[in-house]
Amino acid sequence: MGVLIWKPMPEPVLAPAPRRAARLAGRAGLALTGSAVAAVLLLCLAGPSAAVPALGGDGPPWSFSAAPAATPVILLCAAAIVAGALGTGAGLYALRRGWRPAPGPMLAVSAAAVLALVLVPPAGSTDVLNYAVYGRIAALGHDPYVTAPAWLHAVGDPVGAFAPPAWRNAPSVYGPVATWAQQAASWLGGASMARTVFAWKAMAGLAFLLSALLLDRLAGPGRARRVRAHLLWSLNPLMLWHVVAGGHVDGLGTLLLLGAFLAARRGDLGTGPRGGSGGRGGASGGVGGGLVAGVLLGAAAAVKAPFALAGAGLFWAARRSPATLAATAAGTLAALAAAYATRGPEALANVAGKVASRALADPWRVVAAALGEGPEAAALEGRLALGAAVLAAALLCLRLPAAPSGPLAGPLAGPQAGLQAGLQAVRPALACCLGWLLTSPMQHPWYDALLFPLLALMPACRLDGLMLVRGVVTSLVYLPGAVGLLALPPAPLVRWAAEVYRPWVAPLASDVVIACVVALALAGRLGARPLPPGPALPAGAGRADQRTS
């Protein structure tokens, strides 16, 4: 009879190929991201061009006067947009396969990129010049909701001299909180367009970085969630381009909205003992937290009205507590009423007038061409868009993957922390915002500052790639940004962009993205595809990930 000898089995080792592939994809993603930001920085440093508006005077912001030709500028812009989206996509791919860079250095790199982009002129849009003009009108004691920039231009004001021609007869369409920020930038910049723009871009960069910190906090202690948030926001070249380099006001709304979500998540403001009311208050967790969240939500909507759509998530999360729900609604209404009470009825009228507007990236452009011109066709298109937005939001509410949830960590953690809801507000908020963003005739790529932070707080899903594709499509529509295509020499690239891409390719591509989102939602396939089972990890190898994800 043989003797049975027991030998310990060797510990399983993770196959090197998947880990190496993830590491290579992550590094490639960071390299593409860095090259995209560097391209934008180079574009801005070249000085006034088809993509960079002239500001007059000496810096800051600083640049050279290289006067690059329009075609290389457009190509560089397009390359930066495509490379940036590919970099973010590669990072998300690597993240799902185990790549876990440290979030701290990612945030530090983001801060460095923001600082560099703040110090150079804006690119890709002239909206920041409009902000400076509206702020100057307000600083001079006039009402920017009544007084058009043409007046400031006509009186020979040094800031009004740079008012973009396309908007000279259009009073402000931004909320009162945005106007206050624009007026503050005008006070800091004085009678100089360059200094006013620099002050505004500094505010936009600070708002972007504070939003990154809030996202890092909202993502929780898990390293994977934090890295995802930084990939989709802090290091997302599309957002760095539009929010920081372009200086769009949407970044201020994002900061206030994320503050509302953090207040709702903490949920113990004004409720007495920590966590004492977490069970009844849902994600709001208490009357005080709901009130603060409502005030911040109202302030975000007073920057730009579409941010109010995210309130659907906060109200849904607070539904189990009538007192918290009432406090959230009261805070929102109070903030909006207090903001608009400082302005005349023209402020609301101007905002309402944007509802029927169309933009170059209108996904209904092909349908509108079939409907014809005229007020009846425009009204029909508006009704179709509204109905599609409602249906898309309802479908996404039902089909989006569940948002991450769990107890809080940090100073609020305690015996009652498990009763605190996590981020249930994110899912319905994303559904409503995405439903509108996909179907609205008024499309701009910087509107995605409302989308990407919410998407960053969701688990990995198929929306990631679709939204990056959508961001590229809409961003390319607005190239070069500072000078209209019709004002450029009729080069082949310019002609193709004006006659083919804008009226046909971009709207049809947007329609394909909408069809993909709807089809995946109906099929219940919006969630990320499960990864195939891999070799077992060696003993103890998963402990670090358990601590950080």
Side-chain angles (χ1 to χ4, degrees):
M1 178 180 294
V3 179
L4 181 63
I5 301 177
W6 178 83
K7 292 184 178 180
M9 294 292 293
E11 291 184 343
V13 179
L14 184 66
R19 178 166 289 181
R20 186 182 304 116
R23 187 166 57 249
L24 290 176
R27 290 175 178 174
L30 292 179
L32 285 168
T33 296
S35 65
V37 175
V40 174
L41 188 61
L42 176 65
L43 180 74
C44 297
L45 281 172
S49 66
V52 178
L55 303 178
D58 298 327
W62 291 283
S63 68
F64 301 101
S65 298
T71 298
V73 165
I74 295 175
L75 290 174
L76 185 60
C77 290
I81 290 169
V82 173
L86 289 175
T88 302
L92 294 172
Y93 171 89
L95 180 64
R96 288 198 64 228
R97 283 153 180 80
W99 180 61
R100 297 292 186 272
M106 297 179 75
L107 191 57
V109 171
S110 175
V114 167
L115 177 61
L117 293 173
V118 164
L119 294 175
V120 295
S125 171
T126 58
D127 279 10
V128 68
L129 275 65
N130 292 323
Y131 304 159
V133 170
Y134 294 139
R136 177 70 169 169
I137 292 172
L140 292 175
H142 297 273
D143 188 351
Y145 298 101
V146 177
T147 304
W151 168 81
L152 197 66
H153 180 78
V155 299
D157 184 87
V159 175
F162 293 92
W167 292 91
R168 282 183 188 169
N169 295 314
S172 177
V173 295
Y174 303 102
V177 173
T179 299
W180 296 337
Q182 292 161 4
Q183 187 173 356
S186 181
W187 284 336
L188 292 171
S192 166
M193 173 60 85
R195 290 196 298 270
T196 303
V197 167
F198 175 71
W200 176 264
K201 287 193 65 179
M203 294 165 58
L206 180 61
F208 185 90
L209 289 177
L210 290 176
S211 297
L213 290 173
L214 290 181
L215 272 175
D216 189 82
R217 174 64 177 167
L218 282 165
R223 174 175 284 197
R225 293 183 188 177
R226 294 173 66 195
V227 171
R228 175 176 170 81
H230 292 312
L231 287 173
L232 284 169
W233 178 259
S234 313
L235 291 179
N236 185 344
L238 295 178
M239 292 294 94
L240 286 166
W241 167 281
H242 297 302
V243 177
V244 183
H248 286 281
V249 72
D250 305 73
L252 177 59
T254 299
L255 174 62
L256 294 169
L257 180 63
L258 291 176
F261 274 86
L262 186 62
R265 181 176 176 180
R266 290 175 68 94
D268 70 338
L269 299 176
T271 59
R274 284 182 179 174
S277 62
R280 294 188 59 190
S284 295
V287 173
L291 181 64
V292 173
V295 169
L296 291 171
L297 173 65
V303 172
K304 264 191 170 181
F307 281 89
L309 294 171
L314 293 174
F315 296 142
W316 174 259
R319 70 192 184 281
R320 292 190 180 91
S321 170
T324 301
L325 181 61
T328 305
T332 304
L333 293 175
L336 282 170
Y340 278 95
T342 64
R343 301 293 174 182
E346 295 84 5
L348 279 172
N350 293 355
V351 171
K354 292 286 288 183
V355 174
S357 301
R358 296 178 183 175
L360 290 174
D362 179 8
W364 297 89
R365 183 178 290 267
V366 178
V367 176
L371 293 174
E373 299 295 332
E376 293 184 359
L380 178 57
E381 181 189 353
R383 289 194 293 269
L384 288 173
L386 178 60
V390 172
L391 291 176
L395 180 62
L396 289 167
C397 280
L398 295 173
R399 295 296 191 176
L400 277 176
S405 62
L408 298 179
L412 293 182
Q416 300 291 329
L419 299 176
Q420 302 267 3
L423 293 169
Q424 296 95 325
V426 172
R427 187 172 182 265
L430 177 61
C432 292
C433 294
L434 183 55
W436 173 74
L437 282 169
L438 284 175
T439 59
S440 172
M442 195 62 184
Q443 295 273 348
H444 291 99
W446 41 90
Y447 288 4
D448 287 355
L450 173 59
L451 169 66
F452 277 112
L454 297 175
L455 188 63
L457 294 174
M458 292 286 291
C461 60
R462 289 184 170 89
L463 282 178
D464 296 347
L466 289 172
M467 293 307 101
L468 288 172
V469 170
R470 178 185 175 277
V472 170
V473 169
T474 55
S475 295
L476 294 177
V477 168
Y478 290 92
L479 296 183
V483 176
L485 286 175
L486 297 179
L488 295 175
L493 175 63
V494 174
R495 188 181 303 112
W496 180 84
E499 298 177 1
V500 180
Y501 183 78
R502 278 185 175 178
W504 297 107
V505 176
L508 290 174
S510 297
D511 295 338
V512 169
V513 171
I514 295 172
C516 289
V517 172
V518 171
L520 289 171
L522 290 174
R525 302 285 298 277
L526 282 175
R529 182 180 302 170
L531 293 176
L537 286 169
R543 291 174 189 166
D545 242 8
Q546 290 171 6
R547 292 193 302 268
T548 57
S549 63

